[in-house]
């Protein structure tokens, strides 16, 4: 068996990004206390990138011990809006509140990546600017929240599904908004001395 990509996350979006890019990851969600990490770092005055990187590092390092011969990817995304970091809304009511606040505004979706290989590790935060629609109606906000789609998503939205209706513009890497920056993962693999195609599952038979 060749080297595998292990995704230390249960995110369907991150899994989908890798699968669309030719990689079938092994899913091993990390059970970390995200709220405690966020609270500790926020109290200490950490900048947004350091917060998401700490979350990604906690996930990757927890899982990597079980996969010493593979590449483990830890990632975490948060939305930076009006000077505050926002994670997942979790509830329908909170998703509605978030959308009322972010409607018509510009924010930054920040994803921290911590990637561990047998020989080394690599970490980087990626930022994409997101412009939320100003004309989204209250009824559409309520209907979107009621679908449940935004509840497990940083910033209470998706780009690749129903939430795409309400995003006017992005500036930067679209895969980062979905939850995993392919450019960051590519740079990590090159840093480790691998080629991206080494991990593809669509290579032609020899």
């Amino acid at each position: 068996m060749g080297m595998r990509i292990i995704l230390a996350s249960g995110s369907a979006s991150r899994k989908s990004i890798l699968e669309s890019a030719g990689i079938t990851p092994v899913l091993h969600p990390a059970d970390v206390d995200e709220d405690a990490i966020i609270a500790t770092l926020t109290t200490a005055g950490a900048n947004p990138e350091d917060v998401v990187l700490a979350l990604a590092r906690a996930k990757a390092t927890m899982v990597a011990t079980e996969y010493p011969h593979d590449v483990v990817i830890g990632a975490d995304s948060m939305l930076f809006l009006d000077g505050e970091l926002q994670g997942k809304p979790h509830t329908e009511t909170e998703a509605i509140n978030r959308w009322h606040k972010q409607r018509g505004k510009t924010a930054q979706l920040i994803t921290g990546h911590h990637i561990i290989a047998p020989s080394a590790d690599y970490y980087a935060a990626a930022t994409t600017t997101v412009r939320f629609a100003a004309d989204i109606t209250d009824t559409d906000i309520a209907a979107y929240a009621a679908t449940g789609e935004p509840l497990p998503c940083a910033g209470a939205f998706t780009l690749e599904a129903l939430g795409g209706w309400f995003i006017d513009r992005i500036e930067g890497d679209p895969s980062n908004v979905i939850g995993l920056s392919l450019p960051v993962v590519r740079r990590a693999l090159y840093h480790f001395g691998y080629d991206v195609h080494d991990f593809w599952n669509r290579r032609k038979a020899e």
Side-chain angles (χ1 to χ4, degrees):
M1 180 184 296
M3 183 174 288
R4 302 169 297 175
I5 296 289
I6 313 300
L7 186 59
S9 169
S11 166
S13 295
R14 293 188 181 113
K15 174 176 178 285
S16 176
I17 290 170
L18 290 172
E19 288 178 338
S20 296
I23 294 173
T24 301
V26 175
L27 301 184
H28 189 136
D31 184 17
V32 301
D33 190 342
E34 296 184 23
D35 290 340
I37 294 172
I38 293 169
T40 298
L41 291 176
T42 301
T43 301
N47 64 45
E49 290 81 7
D50 286 342
V51 174
V52 293
L53 283 170
L55 292 166
R57 180 172 60 253
K59 294 177 180 180
T61 54
M62 175 174 286
V63 171
T65 55
E66 299 188 38
Y67 301 93
H69 305 296
D70 297 302
V71 174
V72 176
I73 300 175
D76 201 275
S77 301
M78 298 187 77
L79 187 73
F80 191 59
L81 174 70
D82 292 338
E84 294 184 359
L85 274 176
Q86 299 182 0
K88 306 172 184 69
H90 296 299
T91 69
E92 186 175 328
T93 298
E94 182 59 20
I96 291 172
N97 290 338
R98 297 274 188 90
W99 268 97
H100 283 171
K101 293 177 181 178
Q102 65 200 33
R103 176 169 47 190
K105 293 184 177 180
T106 298
Q108 287 72 47
L109 195 289
I110 307 172
T111 300
H113 305 73
H114 196 100
I115 304 172
I116 300 175
S119 58
D121 61 357
Y122 182 95
Y123 56 90
T127 300
T128 303
T129 298
V130 180
R131 176 69 180 182
F132 296 103
D135 60 353
I136 177 175
T137 63
D138 288 351
T139 52
D140 265 344
I141 288 175
Y144 181 45
T147 67
E149 181 185 282
L151 306 191
C153 300
F157 76 99
T158 62
L159 179 65
E160 73 278 18
L162 293 175
W165 283 100
F166 313 120
I167 306 300
D168 277 353
R169 185 174 68 254
I170 68 166
E171 297 173 10
D173 173 17
S175 65
N176 181 58
V177 180
I178 299 171
L180 189 71
S181 171
L182 288 178
V184 169
V185 177
R186 181 193 69 236
R187 288 192 286 270
L189 294 178
Y190 287 168
H191 175 74
F192 301 142
Y194 309 132
D195 286 317
V196 172
H197 78 269
D198 294 337
F199 298 88
W200 288 349
N201 54 23
R202 296 177 183 172
R203 288 177 293 179
K204 293 181 179 179
E206 299 293 337

